[in-house]
Amino acid sequence: MHPTSLPGPYGSGDLGEELTSFLDWAAGAGMDLWQVLPLNPPGYGHSPYNSVSSMAGDPLLISPQRLLDDGLLSSQDIADVPAFPADHVSFDRVVPWKVALLRKAWKRYEANGAHEEIERFAHDEREWLDDYALYMAIKDKHGGTPWWQWDEPLVKRDPAAIGKAQRALGDEIRYRTFVQFLFFRQWASVREAARARGIRIMGDVPIYVAHDSADVWSNRNLFEVDEHGMPTVVAGVPPDYFSTTGQRWGNPIYRWNVMRETNYQWWITRIRMNLRLADVIRLDHFRGFAAYWEVPAKETTAMHGRWMPGPGMELFDALRKALGDLPLVAEDLGFITPEVDQLREKTGMAGMKILQFGFSAPDSPHLPHRFRPHTVVYTGTHDNDTARGWFSTASDAERERVRLYLGDEAADIAWALIRAAYTSVAETAIVPLQDILGLGSEARMNRPGAGLDNWGWRFTAGALTAVQAGRLRRLAEVSGRC
């Protein structure tokens, strides 16, 4: 469950009291791991996997109530909250309203005059924050246009042009710094609340970053882009379960040879930052570290790409040398080859299994009797339909296998898959909140390949009950997970 899915009056779930209530409920249900999507600021399509920065936090998650408690907003500032939908995030309405609140909080903070805390934050985070705040300030001045459409000296980061922008946009840079200060302060409180309840947080690190991001603008030499900043090749995956033409993600691909020359310092910084956000990290698209699908930028689909070698164990050796043993989970789904399995085993990471995939063939590795213990099992992920939605559109052959495998329990498919996950040998079992609530396709979080109307699902106040928590806790106890 991503924080945006929480209920509340402010149009989107945030890091406020509703999150604390959720943690209380999860602890009562015998759970000790909460998985989130990437917590970075979303870019195109409001996707957390297409962020404008792989290091920064999402301003939308900042709680207005916490700002009120801190004296950065007045009760009058949030007296007239618009009538936002309760069951989904209307991003086009919520984001401008939330930004206006953050601007008010910034003015009040500026007027206060005591800035030592934020100055210390800016100093400690300068490795990534300076570039991010400047990028966002310039982007705002240019009406939100992507960085490769800015004035050429800024596109190429000419030192004189950068210096001029820093002087001209000083107030906006300080505002962007302030917003990040708020996010990290509130998220630190969330982590403290989770620890107090015995709950670890699993974060999510996408393998790629967005083209229009502070990451690519400030590190062009690390990405396959031309002299104008445009990608020559882009990331994606070949045709698979989700798409007959593959998925052309469009992200620039890394120049792994250049990263090797710097001993993967950019990746070390990125993982270090994410370990401040979470106790465990899911590495998205792990197979891309073994070999990745490279698509010529001129192609409109991902069909005509080619496999290219990734950094392999060398990257993980560099990470381990710099950061120690890492609590990582490999998202090893899709077209998996022996070399991908070998890399995961060398790193010591647990892999993933998805129960919904288990009934596509009689010999599927996603069926519980084929699991190895060092596994994280899901009923489904954010990219899948809900259990109910999936079963309602499953083929006759899949439905027959479900009934043979699960017996009478298949009548309540969501609970049947939850029980199968809990009672499997997998050392970790994770269940989307939509399946706990028994919801259908209307509650799906993401439809891969569809650019619009994703990421917005929210559950409504009162949906989580003590009855559900008790049922889950009893299952956790009988399966040895609690």
Side-chain angles (χ1 to χ4, degrees):
M1 187 210 70
H2 199 52
T4 54
S5 294
L6 289 158
Y10 303 117
S12 170
D14 57 41
L15 308 183
E17 295 174 356
E18 294 285 354
L19 178 45
T20 305
S21 296
F22 165 74
L23 292 172
D24 286 336
W25 178 89
M31 297 180 177
D32 64 4
L33 187 67
W34 166 38
Q35 182 172 343
V36 298
L37 303 178
L39 295 165
N40 311 118
Y44 175 76
H46 308 292
S47 170
Y49 293 90
N50 194 41
S51 175
V52 296
S53 169
S54 68
M55 312 284 183
D58 183 1
L60 184 63
L61 296 179
I62 295 171
S63 164
Q65 182 62 47
R66 301 290 188 216
L67 297 182
L68 182 65
D69 296 342
D70 291 339
L72 292 171
L73 290 177
S74 69
S75 56
Q76 186 177 356
D77 291 330
I78 57 175
D80 297 320
V81 180
F84 293 120
D87 61 350
H88 69 279
V89 182
S90 179
F91 290 102
D92 292 343
R93 294 178 58 202
V94 174
V95 171
W97 182 79
K98 178 67 74 70
V99 167
L101 283 187
L102 293 174
R103 295 281 182 184
K104 290 178 181 178
W106 166 237
K107 286 184 178 180
R108 188 165 279 113
Y109 185 86
E110 275 275 82
N112 186 15
H115 298 160
E116 293 84 0
E117 195 174 8
I118 193 172
E119 288 171 0
R120 185 166 56 252
F121 171 80
H123 178 269
D124 292 344
E125 308 300 331
R126 61 190 182 279
E127 185 175 9
W128 64 272
L129 183 56
D130 287 353
D131 283 326
Y132 167 76
L134 177 60
Y135 162 86
M136 293 300 295
I138 298 174
K139 189 174 182 67
D140 184 69
K141 183 184 177 184
H142 285 76
T145 56
W147 62 265
W148 56 88
Q149 295 180 13
W150 299 346
D151 299 333
E152 186 174 357
L154 288 174
V155 171
K156 295 186 174 181
R157 292 178 60 88
D158 175 76
I162 292 296
K164 183 178 178 181
Q166 289 170 331
R167 292 187 295 273
L169 301 173
D171 187 65
E172 182 67 15
I173 291 170
R174 288 190 294 274
Y175 162 71
R176 299 290 177 172
T177 300
F178 167 73
V179 170
Q180 290 305 302
F181 165 73
L182 294 179
F183 171 86
F184 280 95
R185 183 167 70 174
Q186 290 195 2
W187 185 255
S189 296
V190 169
R191 290 205 67 185
E192 183 178 346
R195 278 193 294 266
R197 291 158 178 80
I199 295 174
R200 296 169 299 145
I201 299 173
M202 181 187 285
D204 196 328
V205 173
I207 184 173
Y208 296 116
V209 298
H211 182 202
D212 188 13
S213 66
D215 302 282
V216 181
W217 176 65
S218 59
N219 299 281
R220 280 177 56 173
N221 64 310
L222 299 180
F223 297 88
E224 295 286 1
V225 296
D226 63 21
E227 60 179 332
H228 304 293
M230 301 305 293
T232 54
V233 288
V234 296
V237 289
D240 61 7
Y241 171 87
F242 290 110
S243 174
T244 57
T245 59
Q247 297 177 48
R248 184 191 182 279
W249 296 334
N251 309 77
I253 286 176
Y254 299 111
R255 288 180 175 142
W256 287 113
N257 60 324
V258 177
M259 287 195 160
R260 183 179 302 113
E261 294 171 2
T262 64
N263 199 33
Y264 302 99
Q265 186 56 50
W266 183 88
W267 269 98
I268 291 170
T269 300
R270 187 182 186 192
I271 297 299
R272 182 188 290 120
M273 279 295 301
N274 277 273
L275 287 173
R276 287 178 51 193
L277 299 174
D279 304 284
V280 184
I281 294 174
R282 169 190 180 268
L283 278 183
D284 189 49
H285 196 57
F286 176 80
R287 74 106 50 245
F289 296 107
Y292 57 90
W293 189 247
E294 178 184 275
V295 182
K298 63 182 180 180
E299 294 287 340
T300 58
T301 74
M303 295 180 70
H304 304 296
R306 61 174 180 169
W307 290 108
M308 296 290 289
M313 196 62 199
E314 190 176 73
L315 168 63
F316 297 103
D317 285 340
L319 290 171
R320 187 171 288 117
K321 185 175 181 180
L323 303 174
D325 289 335
L326 298 173
L328 302 177
V329 170
E331 186 272 283
D332 54 346
L333 306 175
F335 178 66
I336 302 302
T337 61
E339 66 175 339
V340 180
D341 288 331
Q342 290 165 11
L343 178 61
R344 180 184 54 74
E345 289 169 3
K346 283 183 180 179
T347 64
M349 294 186 210
M352 288 173 49
K353 299 299 180 190
I354 311 298
L355 290 179
Q356 287 187 26
F357 294 164
F359 304 96
S360 59
D363 59 346
S364 171
H366 295 273
L367 286 172
H369 69 274
R370 300 195 64 192
F371 292 176
R372 295 181 179 181
H374 195 41
T375 295
V376 182
V377 59
Y378 295 74
T379 57
T381 74
H382 59 275
D383 283 334
N384 293 97
D385 203 340
T386 67
R388 269 187 53 201
W390 161 75
F391 193 61
S392 69
T393 59
S395 68
D396 290 342
E398 285 178 302
R399 294 167 74 90
E400 177 64 16
R401 292 187 191 107
V402 167
R403 293 188 183 96
L404 287 172
Y405 200 88
L406 300 175
D408 293 341
E409 287 191 0
D412 183 352
I413 188 62
W415 181 253
L417 293 186
I418 292 172
R419 185 178 180 279
Y422 271 53
T423 56
S424 74
V425 298
E427 64 187 20
T428 303
I430 297 180
V431 182
L433 190 61
Q434 292 96 318
D435 287 352
I436 292 172
L437 297 175
L439 300 177
S441 298
E442 75 283 354
R444 185 168 182 168
M445 194 63 168
N446 180 47
R447 292 169 174 80
L452 301 175
D453 298 325
N454 286 324
W455 314 110
W457 175 76
R458 300 175 73 195
F459 70 94
T460 53
L464 294 178
T465 67
V467 172
Q468 295 160 343
R471 189 183 190 190
L472 288 162
R473 188 176 190 91
R474 288 192 296 274
L475 179 59
E477 288 169 347
V478 78
S479 60
R481 295 191 181 273
C482 183

